Amino acid sequence: MSAKASWTGRVRAATLEKFEPEDLLPDHQPAYVASWIYIFGVATLAAFIMLIASGLYLTLEGPEWWHTSKIGHYVNSVHLWSVELFFVFMVVHLWGKFWMAAWRGRRLATWITGCLAFFASIITGFTGYIIQTNFDSQWIATQAKDGFNAVGIGAFFNTLNTGQAILLHVSLLPLALGAIVIWHVILVRKRGVVPPIDEAGE
Amino acid sequence: MKYNRSSIDPSKKWSGPLREYDLVKEIVIAVVVVGFLALSLAALFSSPDEKALTMQSWATEAPADFVQTAAGELAGTTTSASYGPPYNTNGSGQNIGPVNLGKIAGVRIPIDPAKSFVIEPLSIEPDSVTKSAIATWGAASAKQEIEWASAYADALSKDGKALSIADPTGKFGPVPTLVTSLFSMAKSGALDGALTTSDTNLPTNFTKPLLFLADSGTYFPDKAAAQHLSGDQWGVMNETGSWPGQSWLWLYSLWYQIEPFKSSGNADILVMSLMGVLSLGLIFLPLLPIISRIPYWIPVHRLIWRKWYQRKS
């Protein structure tokens, strides 16, 4: 059996063999990649790393720790401000890609995965807000339930069930978001950075 | 150096001029700078933590509202009591055209407010008077229960401040005893535990106390309004105090401020559906004929790639 015929060979051909090492870890970029707007993609990733780091610290100590510990309150603050920075950077990145029409040149999947990352971030952020175990989380959970119930989602995702929301926030949703972000970054590396508009007859 | 158009076909690998770049260095610098920003903002501005409300705080700070809400649960007049799916079949939920997605999903979190919020907690360790009231309530017909509770809820509501109303003619049945006992239980703090431990001894599910609290006529919504969290205050995207909240939900919040959503009985399903359509629109924006051409008509890209265009010219 040839290597290509095996399952492993096929997976390798469909993944690793699609990339050159310099595509994955480039040390050169097209000359047009020279603008402040490119900072916001990597800044979003950096804020995501801060979110994961501060979130893991909060996870290790438990959901009520930050109410009673000064260090816990500070770590919670880092988590909150990382969320705010993450969304600011991501929205600027999204707007930048819109004005660059960055879906050109077979980059539709890159745009779609970026949008999916945006929506997955909103849902992940929302579950974070309803597991604060304070007044804010009580109010948000009781108000948001009506929207979810109206479309039938509330029967399966109960915003008033704090345990369910905690598990979603620290396990399923970060995994899903992380997978989408990795997929998005791989597509960016595979297709390269979109060239300027007005070229190639556009 | 000139480049022909085929050399910059966006679907082909770039073969034009390159510039030096260091991906790993960029990521490390970004993490250091953003990390410093997050750590500094956290140190400078901290984060809010308004204490959670409890049945005890409700009964202590707004006793009249508590007893009125408890009577309303027995009378079936509260929001929870007439909600519909996924909690019960007492309401029809919301429709978009002929479609009722809540009904399709069904009752998967069964809540009977009179039983779940009042009778079951009281049944844990009742005194003899409460035990007798529970028995009288349980033996009565549903019609009789509603008549007693409605009469009592009306009387409490008319007075506005009373914690109990005398019943010389017996038209309230066992309801005053039930409500007064629940109020005492709430003030002692016992009701908080009773509402969460009815299904399991070590709970993480707060559906019952939160639904009960959300039925509050003034206590819970007044606390929220004081923190600018009400729906008409764009509360969806706000945070307690002056901290930034989920500002990325601004568009979702916007629809609740304008007609026809603002006054619609189906506002939630209409807004959720509209946001679903708009989200799909964003995902598939590159395929939309007019919107996908906007970046070509409004040349913001000239600013973004100005160095490249200058170099070419």
Side-chain angles (χ1 to χ4, degrees):
Chain A
M1 186 169 68
S2 71
K4 292 267 177 177
S6 70
W7 288 16
T8 306
R10 286 177 190 174
V11 170
R12 188 176 62 226
T15 54
L16 298 180
E17 289 176 11
K18 296 279 185 190
F19 294 93
E20 299 289 336
E22 58 266 31
D23 289 339
L24 291 171
L25 289 173
D27 53 8
H28 283 85
Q29 284 287 8
Y32 56 79
V33 183
S35 168
W36 53 268
I37 198 72
Y38 292 109
I39 292 168
F40 289 91
V42 71
T44 309
L45 279 178
F48 187 55
I49 290 168
M50 286 303 295
L51 269 173
I52 297 290
S54 54
L56 280 174
Y57 198 161
L58 290 169
T59 304
L60 286 172
E61 297 287 353
E64 292 150 16
W65 170 62
W66 74 281
H67 296 302
T68 55
S69 156
K70 278 187 178 175
I71 296 172
H73 194 100
Y74 179 69
V75 177
N76 179 74
S77 305
V78 172
H79 201 57
L80 167 74
W81 287 103
S82 298
V83 174
E84 298 292 337
L85 291 172
F86 175 73
F87 272 99
V88 168
F89 296 150
M90 185 162 46
V91 169
V92 175
H93 175 65
L94 178 61
W95 273 109
K97 295 303 158 189
F98 171 75
W99 291 114
M100 293 156 89
W103 50 80
R104 291 171 294 126
R106 299 174 64 212
R107 291 177 179 82
L108 177 63
T110 314
W111 172 270
I112 289 176
T113 50
C115 290
L116 290 178
F118 178 57
F119 295 124
S121 301
I122 288 174
I123 297 166
T124 310
F126 169 76
T127 52
Y129 272 83
I130 62 172
I131 63 169
Q132 297 175 85
T133 56
N134 61 10
F135 172 74
D136 194 38
S137 63
Q138 286 180 310
W139 180 256
I140 293 172
T142 53
Q143 298 305 295
K145 78 179 188 312
D146 298 327
F148 288 109
N149 289 341
V151 292
I153 296 171
F156 306 94
F157 167 47
N158 177 8
T159 60
L160 309 179
N161 185 342
T162 310
Q164 184 189 27
I166 288 174
L167 291 175
L168 285 172
H169 184 74
V170 304
S171 61
L172 187 66
L173 290 171
L175 279 176
L177 178 57
I180 296 169
V181 168
I182 289 168
W183 186 15
H184 180 69
V185 171
I186 286 174
L187 284 170
V188 172
R189 297 267 52 92
K190 184 175 164 64
R191 296 280 176 229
V193 181
V194 72
I197 293 178
D198 293 342
E199 305 295 355
E202 293 167 316
Chain B
M1 186 176 170
K2 293 262 182 188
Y3 307 99
N4 61 44
R5 285 182 166 181
S6 63
S7 71
I8 38 185
D9 179 346
S11 65
K12 289 183 180 164
K13 191 165 181 174
W14 178 253
S15 56
L18 299 171
R19 70 173 185 84
E20 285 195 355
Y21 172 73
D22 190 335
L23 177 69
V24 173
K25 188 176 172 185
E26 183 183 89
I27 291 172
V28 170
I29 291 172
V31 170
V32 169
V33 172
V34 172
F36 177 74
L37 258 179
L39 294 171
S40 303
L41 287 165
L44 282 172
F45 301 111
S46 189
S47 56
D49 190 17
E50 285 288 322
K51 216 171 176 183
L53 304 183
T54 61
M55 295 293 120
Q56 189 177 32
S57 69
W58 183 9
T60 306
E61 293 173 31
D65 182 50
F66 180 90
V67 295
Q68 284 174 31
T69 307
E73 302 294 5
L74 291 171
T77 54
T78 59
T79 304
S80 304
S82 56
Y83 198 93
Y87 308 124
N88 48 53
T89 54
N90 303 341
S92 56
Q94 297 188 16
N95 295 290
I96 184 159
V99 181
N100 188 316
L101 294 169
K103 269 190 181 169
I104 292 169
V107 178
R108 287 176 50 92
I109 309 165
I111 301 280
D112 173 355
K115 191 176 156 202
S116 303
F117 303 160
V118 183
I119 303 300
E120 280 182 355
L122 286 175
S123 303
I124 293 173
E125 205 172 327
D127 57 30
S128 57
V129 177
T130 307
K131 197 172 181 180
S132 168
I134 293 169
T136 306
W137 176 266
S141 66
K143 184 169 174 283
Q144 178 65 75
E145 288 175 352
I146 296 292
E147 277 179 16
W148 284 333
S150 298
Y152 192 58
D154 286 348
L156 283 171
S157 172
K158 267 181 199 161
D159 185 285
K161 291 182 179 172
L163 302 185
S164 66
I165 304 278
D167 185 22
T169 59
K171 63 179 176 177
F172 302 146
V175 174
T177 304
L178 295 172
V179 170
T180 303
S181 296
L182 193 77
F183 176 61
S184 299
M185 203 174 169
K187 275 193 85 171
S188 74
L191 183 58
D192 288 290
L195 284 171
T196 48
T197 55
S198 56
D199 297 322
T200 178
N201 288 336
L202 289 172
T204 58
N205 184 349
F206 297 93
T207 301
K208 287 177 184 172
L210 286 176
L211 272 183
F212 189 12
L213 185 63
D215 286 336
S216 153
T218 55
Y219 180 60
F220 198 27
D222 286 355
K223 291 267 186 190
Q227 296 283 355
H228 49 80
L229 295 178
S230 297
D232 57 2
Q233 297 170 306
W234 296 65
V236 171
M237 53 177 276
N238 288 341
E239 172 61 276
T240 52
S242 302
W243 281 269
Q246 300 179 81
S247 49
W248 42 93
L249 295 180
W250 70 271
L251 186 59
Y252 179 81
S253 192
L254 167 73
W255 305 119
Y256 285 97
Q257 318 302 320
I258 59 173
E259 299 294 355
F261 309 99
K262 192 177 176 181
S263 60
S264 171
N266 296 306
D268 294 310
I269 193 168
L270 291 175
V271 170
M272 289 289 276
S273 303
L274 178 61
M275 288 304 292
V277 170
L278 292 174
S279 300
L280 285 174
L282 181 64
I283 290 170
F284 296 109
L285 185 147
L287 306 176
L288 300 178
I290 296 172
I291 297 174
S292 65
R293 299 300 300 172
I294 291 175
Y296 297 86
W297 301 331
I298 304 174
V300 178
H301 60 270
R302 286 266 155 202
L303 184 66
I304 292 171
W305 284 305
R306 68 182 185 283
K307 286 180 187 166
W308 171 258
Y309 293 125
Q310 280 167 4
R311 179 179 174 161
K312 278 193 77 185
S313 63

